[in-house]
Amino acid sequence: MTARPMTRHARRRGTLAAALAVGLLAPAVVEAGVADAAPAAGTVYVNRDLPKNRLVPGARSGDVFTYRTTGSDGKPQMSSATVQVPAGRVPAGGWPTVVWSHGTRGIADRCAPSNRPLPADTEQIRRWISRGYAVLSPDLAGLGTPGTPMSFDVNSSVRSIVDGVRASRDVTPGLSRKWAVVGHAYGSPASITLARTATGMQGPGLDYRGSAAESIPAESPSILSNLGPSTDVLPRAATLEIVYVLAALRLARPAVGLGSYLTDAGVRWLDRASTACADELAPQVANLKLGTLFTKPLGGNRAAMDVLSTALTMPIRGFTRPLLLGQALIDDNVSVPLALRYLNDAHRADFRAIPHTYLTVDPRQAEMMADNDIRQFIGRLLGR
């Protein structure tokens, strides 16, 4: 079987088994150097209807598809995504698209949200569908598709999102050129970076309007560089992200020699992270003392730190579209002092960065306030 790129709005349907078979063959076609020119990023390989039991309330239809993108190593990779559209009459110009930039869900193929969405993903899709938007939820490159997941690299996630938006218009009729991104926690860096890079990446067929990011994981490279045998217990979400970042780095960049910095326990934890999804691993890392993972300070591995610094540093200026930055006072996902400093630095450096802080001690109230601000912000960007 040979995988061929789909033409615009061609609807190649089949069983899940057939879809996976084509998806598995596609990277071999791209990398084997066949006579035909390599398909462009955003080319769709496989598309099928999203099962009805996967549609959120208020959705008319949905697709799950596989498309070409580029990994952090610059090589062609495959990614996958879902897109759902609201019920009702298609508005003039088509449904504007909100991209849900989710946080880490795991690095094993079975953890891809297109196959195994968490309740948080389903709820975000439901919210934006109810507000009259198409919703695209891309997986990370190499997650659920052949290749090594690039969950440690923001730039790879950025390319996967842009290519996914381009691909979604080939599989789902009635989508507008206009799109915006909403990111939460460890999905925020990609949405922030897109506010700087998307207009130069998207091409003439798309119209990126801006991003919203809430719960900001600022200064991740600095946090990682300070890990070592003396590191104590960190918040569970931060520990979970660190374990996944290091597991993905070890798989994708073996040359950095991460193994010599790990204890036997560290090797076991990274092995576990390579197979367990986030909802499974999160309870296990509660109260994990990260120092038990390391034989020596991670900051001494300059090769690893150079990769992570390039892959995880978020911009504070140079934004080409509006960027809403939201941060609650109580937030177990990230370091609040570092996040607030990032909001201040970005706002001072670039007028397009708009900070919103939620100083309530009630996390539920802060979440509602952030959702309301983001809803209004996206509405202004996309004209809904």
Side-chain angles (χ1 to χ4, degrees), residues 5-23:
M6 292 177 64
T7 57
R8 184 163 183 77
H9 297 317
R11 315 280 290 183
R12 182 185 301 152
R13 306 298 185 186
T15 64
L16 175 59
L20 291 175
V22 178

Side-chain angles (χ1 to χ4, degrees), residues 52 242 246 347 360:
K52 290 188 187 237
I242 286 168
L246 296 179
H347 181 58
T360 176

Side-chain angles (χ1 to χ4, degrees), residues 188-370:
S188 289
S191 62
I192 290 169
T193 303
L194 281 161
R196 185 179 187 183
T197 63
T199 53
M201 297 173 63
Q202 64 184 346
L206 298 175
D207 182 11
Y208 167 75
R209 294 299 183 91
S211 292
E214 192 263 329
S215 188
I216 313 297
E219 300 191 28
S220 292
S222 176
I223 292 172
L224 288 160
S225 70
N226 285 304
L227 295 175
S230 63
T231 306
D232 208 337
V233 176
L234 297 180
R236 185 174 70 173
T239 300
L240 183 69
E241 181 67 13
I242 286 168
V243 171
Y244 275 131
V245 164
L246 296 179
L249 178 66
R250 185 180 61 155
L251 290 171
R253 296 286 188 276
V256 304
L258 191 60
S260 65
Y261 285 75
L262 299 174
T263 63
D264 290 343
V267 171
R268 288 194 297 271
W269 275 107
L270 267 57
D271 287 344
R272 193 175 306 173
S274 299
T275 59
C277 300
D279 56 336
E280 300 163 340
L281 192 62
Q284 300 176 38
V285 301
N287 301 315
L288 172 64
K289 186 176 180 181
L290 279 168
T292 62
L293 275 61
F294 301 101
T295 60
K296 48 191 172 183
L298 186 60
N301 187 326
R302 296 317 310 164
M305 296 319 304
D306 286 347
V307 170
L308 292 172
S309 180
T310 300
L312 295 172
T313 298
M314 296 186 299
I316 63 168
R317 60 172 62 88
F319 304 117
T320 64
R321 293 293 184 268
L323 170 64
L324 184 150
L325 297 169
Q327 182 58 53
L329 180 64
I330 307 297
D331 188 341
D332 291 335
N333 292 305
V334 300
S335 169
V336 172
L338 294 179
L340 293 176
R341 183 165 73 184
Y342 175 81
L343 263 66
N344 180 67
D345 290 347
H347 181 58
R348 287 169 61 90
D350 195 317
F351 74 95
R352 292 185 184 272
I354 307 163
H356 286 253
T357 54
Y358 307 106
L359 305 183
T360 176
V361 295
D362 181 347
R364 175 60 179 164
Q365 183 181 26
E367 194 276 333
M368 293 173 63
M369 295 165 66

Side-chain angles (χ1 to χ4, degrees), residues 69-130:
T69 187
T70 306
S72 64
D73 55 5
K75 296 180 180 179
Q77 258 199 302
M78 302 296 286
S79 190
S80 49
T82 64
V83 60
Q84 299 189 45
V85 296
R89 186 183 183 88
V90 179
W95 297 109
T97 299
V98 169
V99 178
W100 167 235
S101 179
H102 59 78
T104 303
R105 301 299 186 241
I107 63 174
D109 283 345
R110 68 186 186 88
C111 306
S114 62
N115 293 321
R116 190 179 183 272
L118 294 184
D121 301 318
T122 301
E123 173 59 16
Q124 282 292 327
I125 295 170
R126 184 202 65 76
R127 287 183 187 181
W128 293 104
I129 286 286
S130 72

